[in-house]
Every structure is written in C-alpha cells, then in structure tokens.
Amino acid sequence: FQESDFYSRPMRRIVRQEISAGVSQAQQEEKVLALNFICTHNSRRSQIAQIWTTVAAAWHGNEFITAYSGGTEVTALHPNVITALSNLGFKVEDDGGNPGRHLVYFSDDYPPVKCWSKRYDDANNPEEDFLAIMVCDDADANCPVIPTARKRIALRYIDPKFSDGTSKEMVTYKRTTREIGSEVFSLF
C-alpha cells in the first residue's frame, strides 16, 4: 500500500505500533478495546476505517476489538465510499426505514457493519475507555481533547474528496479504501 503523506514512514510506524500495542494488550487481557475513528464529517475515512477494523478483527478471530466512527459534524456516508466498497466486494444496502443509514456486509458469518454519519460522542459510540483515532488533519486540529478517551492518536489519511467530480474519483476512492484496509490489517 502507499502511505499517506501526513507523516514520515518512521513516524507513521510508531503511531501504528502504539495502536497495535493496544490491540495486543486487549487480546492478552481478554478485555474489549473500542477504537473510535474520528474525522470531521464522518463520511469517508472514519467510516472506511471502522469497516476495515471490523473485518480485520473478524478475520483474526479477535472478539475483543470493537470499531466505531464519528465526526465533529454530521453529514452522510458519501456515495463514492459506497461505490468503492461495492467494487471491492462488500455488499452495501440501505438500512430499511433508517434514512442515511447503511449496512455493510463482508461475510455471511458476521452481522453487517452499521454505518451512518454521527458525532464522535453519539450515544451509539463508546462513552469512555476507548482509543480515539483521528484520521483527518482537520478533526485532529479542531478536536484536540476527548476527555473520555483512554488515548488520542493521530493516524491521518489524505481525503479522497479532492477527486470528487473528476475522472479519477473511483481510482482515488478505491486506493484510499485499500490503503486504510491494508494499514488496519497491519495493526492486528
């Protein structure tokens, strides 16, 4: 995968090791570790990270990891994310009767990931003792303190929205989705 340009490779490796240590500790202690991926609009990167973390935890048989996402603002799961996920083999459906909510299926053996745009402190997200993982520079800068988080970690990705409306948008969204997925799998 191609790493985002927000960090040097050594710095990004240190950040990943910090998250990996939390994942390993949760598994060893058989304690649930909640990861809340936070981005400004909770429409692209944070949702992708939540989905891939759920997939990686299932793949590795790690029932001690739960993934969430939120933003500093509420918008909607971006249609290009839905298309990119579908192109990569995920099944994405509307959550019947819940406008703006989607179900993302990755296996017949696991329940779908429920995705919708919400604030990081939404009642559906963990209230305390979670890792707050900031996946965008704007949320990292504008959400400096999350008092109930065990730890706040910046693992930022380039926003694929720069390609919206261009001939490269699907290539960019698939690349971003794969980059996040690859990096999340490396945490396990």
Side-chain angles (χ1 to χ4, degrees), residues 58-75:
W59 176 264
H60 290 284
N62 193 328
E63 69 269 18
F64 302 107
I65 303 300
T66 57
Y68 302 87
S69 67
T72 56
E73 301 173 23
V74 175
T75 57

Side-chain angles (χ1 to χ4, degrees), residues 17-31:
Q17 287 171 346
E18 190 173 7
I19 299 168
S20 288
V23 169
S24 294
Q25 182 179 359
Q27 190 164 8
Q28 289 170 0
E29 296 175 0
E30 296 187 357
K31 286 185 174 177

Side-chain angles (χ1 to χ4, degrees), residues 149-169:
R150 178 191 305 180
K151 191 163 207 168
R152 182 186 180 286
I153 301 168
L155 184 65
R156 300 176 298 199
Y157 297 94
I158 296 169
D159 192 348
K161 77 176 176 183
F162 76 87
S163 68
D164 287 355
T166 72
S167 62
K168 301 282 188 192
E169 74 182 5

